[in-house]
Amino acid sequence: KPEMPRQIAKWGGGSFSGWQSNVNTLRNYIIQRCDSITEGLKDCYNLTGPYTITFETDPPDIANIEVGTITFSPSQLPFTGTYFGNIVTDLNTSPTNPDYEFVNWEIVNAVTPTSDSAKVSVTFDVSQTVIAHYKIPTTVFIPTAFSPNGDGINDDFKVLGKGIKSVNLDIYDRWGEKIWGTNDKDLGWDGTYKGQKCFPAVFAYRAYILYVD
């Protein structure tokens, strides 16, 4: 646009207002043509819509979403596009973060086979937000023994696993006296009491575990 007055002055013939009029005419033609194509597709193939569909994952930034043959990476999500109805759209999702596993799709319309399948087919008939839900699977392991000898292997006793939000762990001796405790889920007991190593024995523990979900 800034160049047009100089081009008109150099080559002569025409005016800036005439150029703007021609641009508007071309733009309007393109818009009308696109509208005609859309209506033609709807009439020819008995389509509905198009509908505005937004795709995203929950939580964000942990998975891909594949719509038809196009894959959207976490950095490209959420993505919003327009899609026709009365035609099947294939969806698929896969985690990019190995700590997460797929749970279910949140979609207004019915899907095939089921909403808890990562790969589904859906026919849209309304604008909506489609969400692929993920979670960190909950696994808990509490060892039955440990060897606090300083060799770097099983030197402390603690709750292990995934999907753990917090842990309150207490250790008791055979007489029921509490000898150690923590509310730090990453901290383990090193087998000492008041700075001294305990003799090999049987100890009891009590653990309160809060999961992420």
Side-chain angles (χ1 to χ4, degrees):
K1 184 175 180 179
E3 285 291 323
M4 291 314 299
R6 291 194 291 270
Q7 295 295 332
I8 292 170
K10 179 177 180 179
W11 300 104
S15 64
F16 183 71
S17 61
W19 173 78
Q20 282 187 314
S21 176
N22 290 335
V23 169
N24 289 333
T25 298
L26 180 59
R27 182 189 63 187
N28 291 336
Y29 172 79
I30 292 173
I31 292 174
Q32 293 171 2
R33 183 62 177 166
C34 289
D35 290 341
S36 296
I37 292 173
T38 297
E39 293 304 316
L41 286 170
K42 292 169 64 175
D43 293 340
C44 182
Y45 297 102
N46 194 30
L47 303 178
T48 59
Y51 305 109
T52 300
I53 310 295
T54 298
F55 299 94
E56 61 183 56
T57 63
D58 174 42
D61 302 323
I62 51 87
N64 297 320
I65 291 182
E66 183 179 325
V67 184
T69 59
I70 301 175
T71 300
F72 298 100
S73 65
S75 63
Q76 296 172 304
L77 296 170
F79 169 81
T80 300
T82 53
Y83 295 83
F84 286 107
N86 207 27
I87 185 173
V88 174
T89 299
D90 293 325
L91 304 178
N92 195 11
T93 183
S94 57
T96 55
N97 185 325
D99 290 335
Y100 287 83
E101 67 178 16
F102 175 72
V103 179
N104 68 281
W105 290 99
E106 182 179 333
I107 304 178
V108 172
N109 303 105
V111 300
T112 303
T114 59
S115 62
D116 57 1
S117 298
K119 188 173 183 179
V120 297
S121 298
V122 60
T123 300
F124 297 117
D125 62 11
V126 65
S127 295
Q128 60 187 283
T129 297
V130 173
I131 305 174
H133 290 284
Y134 280 81
K135 72 174 184 179
I136 298 177
T138 300
T139 59
V140 174
F141 173 71
I142 301 177
T144 57
F146 73 115
S147 55
N149 55 12
D151 65 354
I153 302 174
N154 300 323
D155 278 336
D156 55 7
F157 177 87
K158 63 181 178 180
V159 177
L160 305 172
K162 292 183 178 180
I164 299 174
K165 185 176 182 179
S166 65
V167 171
N168 189 310
L169 177 64
D170 295 324
I171 305 295
Y172 301 86
D173 63 19
R174 67 178 63 189
W175 295 281
E177 180 183 359
K178 179 180 174 180
I179 61 174
W180 185 85
T182 183
N183 57 8
D184 183 344
K185 68 183 181 66
D186 297 318
L187 185 64
W189 181 43
D190 63 359
T192 63
Y193 177 58
K194 294 183 178 181
Q196 300 295 319
K197 289 185 177 182
C198 297
F199 290 107
V202 176
F203 297 88
Y205 68 84
R206 181 177 63 182
Y208 294 96
I209 303 171
L210 181 63
Y211 302 118
V212 171
D213 59 354

